[in-house]
Amino acid sequence: MMYRLYIEKCRENGEQFVKQHFYQDILNTKFNLSFFRPKKDQCSICESYKNSSEEEKNVKLASQEKHRQECEWAHQEKSRDKTVALSNDKDILLCSFDLQAVMPLPYANASTFYYKSKLNVYNFTVYNIPDKKGFCYMWHEGEAKRGACEIATCIYNFLQYNGEGKHDIFYSDNCAAQNKNKFLVSMYLYVVENLNVQKISHKFLIVGHTENEGDSMHSTIEKERNRVLRSNPIYVPSELYSIAKTAKKTGSAYIVREMSTEDFIDWKKVNELTGKNFNINEKNQRVQWNEIKMLEVRKEQPLKLFYKTSYEQSEYEVIDVVRKCRGRRKEISLHPLYNSPPSIPSNKKNDLISLCKENLIPKKYHNFFSSLKSCENNDAANETECNF
């Protein structure tokens, strides 16, 4: 298109124009220019405002300005945390976490694979910002789902081995099903009460502007996966786990924890014993969880939640989680989330077995796919609900 416009301009000016290959070579080698490719989806709020008429923009102006200001404050908050964490302050652990897009298996170039249901593999990543170390918690849907309890278990495991004796700060997006829910909060309260963790702060990046360091981890793993695919199909989760371990070519390799069914903890039961009040603060006001920007739990007050609904807010609001409880709190113990591996949909299992029967999946992997549990009604495979 640019070349056509160039020709039109030359003809208008009565000038001679060069051939396309010469034009392309000059453009690509003599200028520090390239076409912008957005790494993530654009913010729906900003896009809606940009595409509005002048009258609509006037109506939305106040809310759009507040949205823009919150984005700026969030980035400033993260910059301050980075400065403190990078100043060799060993008492602070600063991390971002995110769940990578689902990776279906098997991967292969045979056309039959495109029309078959595949097994979903999950990768929950935690990135230690000061140390530049990445941690991957990986499992497939035949071992566990990807609800709030599964995510909380991964963070709990990370805190056990990396967060003790520190003020732990996390940044994430606002996904209610995984990151902003009472099961995750109950896990935080359990940690400060039972482990050597002084404080946990969880800060939520603004919707539509949630780019974090975990995105680079996901991109690196996907590039390595695509490189391997050019020469070899990928059939089973263990092969993806190996790819994640070797994906980073410089610096520290990603630390991969292969999760199994028995590793996951039932934080719903912990939540039931922690307290009953997650919705009314100490000012007797109803808490709007979707508006919360910062959460904090503290060892000296392990039964209270501190929160802010704006990054500009100076003081925390407080929720007493045992406000509605009567009698003595029961001792909290941890229980497994699953009694047995969850089932996958029967149509998915049938598709995977059909690929085995057609010998499109090598025989050495047949036992793995045959061992997967399946059910007609996939209620057992539904993700955990965690609404407040």
Side-chain angles (χ1 to χ4, degrees):
M1 185 187 299
M2 291 175 65
Y3 180 68
R4 289 199 301 272
L5 293 172
Y6 158 74
I7 291 175
E8 290 176 8
K9 187 68 174 176
C10 288
R11 284 173 174 167
E12 286 178 9
N13 297 335
E15 298 173 347
Q16 188 176 359
F17 53 85
V18 299
K19 293 185 177 180
Q20 184 172 346
H21 70 86
F22 189 74
Y23 173 90
Q24 185 172 336
D25 180 66
I26 293 293
L27 183 68
N28 289 335
T29 61
K30 303 300 181 183
F31 298 95
N32 185 25
L33 298 172
S34 63
F35 291 100
F36 173 69
R37 294 183 181 180
K39 293 181 180 180
K40 293 180 70 70
D41 293 338
Q42 301 301 296
C43 173
S44 58
I45 297 173
C46 295
E47 286 297 299
S48 175
Y49 180 79
K50 186 175 73 173
N51 295 329
S52 299
S53 64
E54 288 302 318
E55 293 78 8
E56 291 171 331
K57 284 183 177 180
N58 290 333
V59 173
K60 295 178 180 180
L61 182 61
S63 60
Q64 177 64 23
E65 180 61 25
K66 187 176 188 305
H67 173 73
R68 186 197 63 77
Q69 191 68 67
E70 284 290 351
C71 293
E72 185 176 329
W73 289 331
H75 289 136
Q76 290 173 356
E77 179 77 15
K78 192 173 182 182
S79 295
R80 285 193 293 269
D81 286 339
K82 280 185 177 181
T83 301
V84 175
L86 290 169
S87 64
N88 294 320
D89 190 339
K90 300 300 181 182
D91 294 330
I92 292 180
L93 175 69
L94 177 63
C95 298
S96 63
F97 65 75
D98 198 7
L99 187 67
Q100 187 172 352
V102 171
M103 295 180 284
L105 285 180
Y107 283 108
N109 291 323
S111 59
T112 307
F113 283 84
Y114 295 103
Y115 304 100
K116 300 290 185 179
S117 298
K118 299 179 180 66
L119 184 72
N120 292 331
V121 178
Y122 307 123
N123 180 24
F124 178 76
T125 58
V126 184
Y127 188 80
N128 185 326
I129 296 173
D131 293 344
K132 298 182 179 180
K133 289 183 178 179
F135 299 79
C136 299
Y137 293 84
M138 303 185 75
W139 68 96
H140 62 79
E141 63 177 315
E143 292 174 318
K145 301 307 164 188
R146 52 169 180 167
C149 288
E150 289 83 358
I151 299 303
T153 297
C154 296
I155 300 173
Y156 176 68
N157 182 277
F158 177 80
L159 287 169
Q160 280 183 299
Y161 293 100
N162 301 277
E164 289 205 290
K166 300 178 181 180
H167 173 198
D168 302 315
I169 304 174
F170 292 112
Y171 279 86
S172 78
D173 61 30
N174 290 264
C175 178
Q178 294 161 352
N179 303 334
K180 191 187 280 188
N181 57 74
K182 59 186 177 182
F183 300 156
L184 182 65
V185 167
S186 296
M187 183 273 292
Y188 287 154
L189 292 170
Y190 178 87
V191 166
V192 295
E193 192 171 5
N194 294 277
L195 301 183
N196 181 27
V197 173
Q198 302 305 310
K199 187 190 297 184
I200 300 174
S201 301
H202 190 158
K203 304 179 183 184
F204 301 93
L205 297 168
I206 306 305
V207 175
H209 302 268
T210 58
E211 302 87 355
N212 64 41
E213 292 75 9
D215 295 335
S216 64
M217 290 182 65
H218 302 167
S219 176
T220 300
I221 292 169
E222 288 170 4
K223 286 179 181 177
E224 179 66 8
R225 179 197 65 191
N226 294 337
R227 186 191 69 78
V228 171
L229 273 175
R230 287 198 290 268
S231 55
N232 297 297
I234 304 171
Y235 295 108
V236 291
S238 60
E239 294 178 321
L240 266 182
Y241 304 161
S242 297
I243 288 171
K245 291 176 184 177
T246 59
K248 193 177 181 189
K249 306 303 182 185
T250 59
S252 301
Y254 297 142
I255 299 168
V256 177
R257 169 75 191 275
E258 299 175 25
M259 304 292 284
S260 57
T261 304
E262 57 269 20
D263 292 326
F264 293 97
I265 298 169
D266 189 351
W267 295 104
K268 182 177 180 180
K269 287 185 178 179
V270 173
N271 169 253
E272 291 169 354
L273 296 173
T274 298
K276 297 181 179 180
N277 177 44
F278 287 86
N279 296 307
I280 304 297
N281 66 22
E282 289 189 338
K283 295 179 181 178
N284 218 31
Q285 299 168 331
R286 187 161 188 85
V287 181
Q288 300 297 325
W289 277 86
N290 63 322
E291 296 180 3
I292 288 179
K293 304 295 188 297
M294 302 170 68
L295 272 174
E296 191 166 284
V297 296
R298 303 167 183 172
K299 196 170 191 67
E300 66 268 18
Q301 294 176 290
L303 297 176
K304 291 190 176 182
L305 288 176
F306 301 84
Y307 72 95
K308 293 181 181 180
T309 55
S310 171
Y311 276 98
E312 186 190 31
Q313 191 174 330
S314 58
E315 300 294 330
Y316 282 94
E317 303 289 347
V318 184
I319 304 171
D320 184 352
V321 298
V322 295
R323 176 180 176 179
K324 297 180 181 180
C325 297
R326 294 181 179 180
R328 186 177 178 182
R329 277 178 80 223
K330 294 182 180 178
E331 184 177 348
I332 298 176
S333 57
L334 303 182
H335 299 275
L337 181 60
Y338 299 97
N339 294 321
S340 62
S343 301
I344 66 173
S346 57
N347 64 318
K348 181 175 290 192
K349 172 76 176 281
N350 293 337
D351 280 356
L352 292 169
I353 295 299
S354 69
L355 291 172
C356 293
K357 290 179 177 178
E358 295 172 27
N359 214 28
L360 292 172
I361 295 176
K363 290 183 180 179
K364 64 179 179 179
Y365 301 125
H366 289 188
N367 285 340
F368 168 78
F369 291 105
S370 297
S371 66
L372 296 171
K373 289 173 58 180
S374 64
C375 62
E376 288 294 336
N377 186 344
N378 199 32
D379 288 340
N382 289 336
E383 294 177 13
T384 310
E385 294 184 3
C386 54
N387 295 325
F388 282 94

Short mmCIF file of all heavy atoms in Angstrom, two decimals, residues 29 74 81 109 111 157 183 240 323 330:
data_model
loop_
_atom_site.label_atom_id
_atom_site.label_comp_id
_atom_site.label_asym_id
_atom_site.label_seq_id
_atom_site.Cartn_x
_atom_site.Cartn_y
_atom_site.Cartn_z
N THR A 29 16.09 -1.02 5.41
CA THR A 29 17.50 -0.99 5.84
C THR A 29 18.03 0.40 6.15
O THR A 29 19.03 0.51 6.87
CB THR A 29 18.40 -1.63 4.76
OG1 THR A 29 18.28 -0.87 3.55
CG2 THR A 29 18.00 -3.08 4.52
N ALA A 74 -1.05 3.44 39.18
CA ALA A 74 -0.65 2.03 39.31
C ALA A 74 0.79 1.83 38.85
O ALA A 74 1.58 1.14 39.50
CB ALA A 74 -1.59 1.15 38.51
N ASP A 81 7.79 0.36 44.11
CA ASP A 81 8.10 -0.96 44.68
C ASP A 81 9.36 -1.54 44.06
O ASP A 81 10.17 -2.17 44.74
CB ASP A 81 6.91 -1.90 44.46
CG ASP A 81 5.73 -1.61 45.38
OD1 ASP A 81 5.97 -0.96 46.42
OD2 ASP A 81 4.60 -2.01 45.07
N ASN A 109 1.44 -31.30 13.03
CA ASN A 109 1.06 -30.65 11.77
C ASN A 109 0.06 -31.46 10.95
O ASN A 109 -0.42 -30.99 9.94
CB ASN A 109 2.31 -30.38 10.94
CG ASN A 109 3.19 -29.31 11.57
OD1 ASN A 109 2.68 -28.36 12.13
ND2 ASN A 109 4.50 -29.48 11.47
N SER A 111 -3.31 -32.76 9.59
CA SER A 111 -4.59 -32.03 9.55
C SER A 111 -5.64 -32.63 10.48
O SER A 111 -6.50 -31.91 11.00
CB SER A 111 -5.13 -32.00 8.12
OG SER A 111 -5.32 -33.32 7.63
N ASN A 157 2.54 -22.50 47.65
CA ASN A 157 3.78 -23.25 47.47
C ASN A 157 4.96 -22.29 47.24
O ASN A 157 6.05 -22.47 47.80
CB ASN A 157 3.64 -24.22 46.30
CG ASN A 157 4.88 -25.06 46.08
OD1 ASN A 157 5.84 -24.63 45.45
ND2 ASN A 157 4.88 -26.27 46.61
N PHE A 183 -11.12 -17.11 48.41
CA PHE A 183 -10.28 -18.29 48.64
C PHE A 183 -8.81 -17.90 48.67
O PHE A 183 -8.04 -18.36 49.52
CB PHE A 183 -10.53 -19.35 47.57
CG PHE A 183 -11.96 -19.84 47.53
CD1 PHE A 183 -12.48 -20.39 46.37
CD2 PHE A 183 -12.79 -19.72 48.63
CE1 PHE A 183 -13.80 -20.83 46.32
CE2 PHE A 183 -14.10 -20.16 48.59
CZ PHE A 183 -14.61 -20.71 47.43
N LEU A 240 5.95 -30.72 27.19
CA LEU A 240 5.80 -29.28 27.36
C LEU A 240 6.55 -28.79 28.59
O LEU A 240 7.13 -27.70 28.59
CB LEU A 240 4.32 -28.91 27.50
CG LEU A 240 3.57 -28.50 26.22
CD1 LEU A 240 2.13 -28.13 26.56
CD2 LEU A 240 4.26 -27.33 25.53
N ARG A 323 -16.01 -10.90 62.19
CA ARG A 323 -17.03 -10.03 62.78
C ARG A 323 -18.34 -10.76 63.06
O ARG A 323 -18.98 -10.55 64.08
CB ARG A 323 -17.28 -8.85 61.83
CG ARG A 323 -18.38 -7.91 62.26
CD ARG A 323 -18.53 -6.79 61.26
NE ARG A 323 -19.64 -5.91 61.59
CZ ARG A 323 -19.98 -4.84 60.88
NH1 ARG A 323 -19.27 -4.51 59.82
NH2 ARG A 323 -21.01 -4.09 61.22
N LYS A 330 -12.42 -22.56 65.13
CA LYS A 330 -11.86 -23.91 65.06
C LYS A 330 -10.44 -23.85 64.48
O LYS A 330 -10.13 -22.96 63.70
CB LYS A 330 -12.74 -24.80 64.18
CG LYS A 330 -14.12 -25.05 64.76
CD LYS A 330 -14.92 -25.98 63.85
CE LYS A 330 -16.31 -26.24 64.43
NZ LYS A 330 -17.11 -27.11 63.54
#
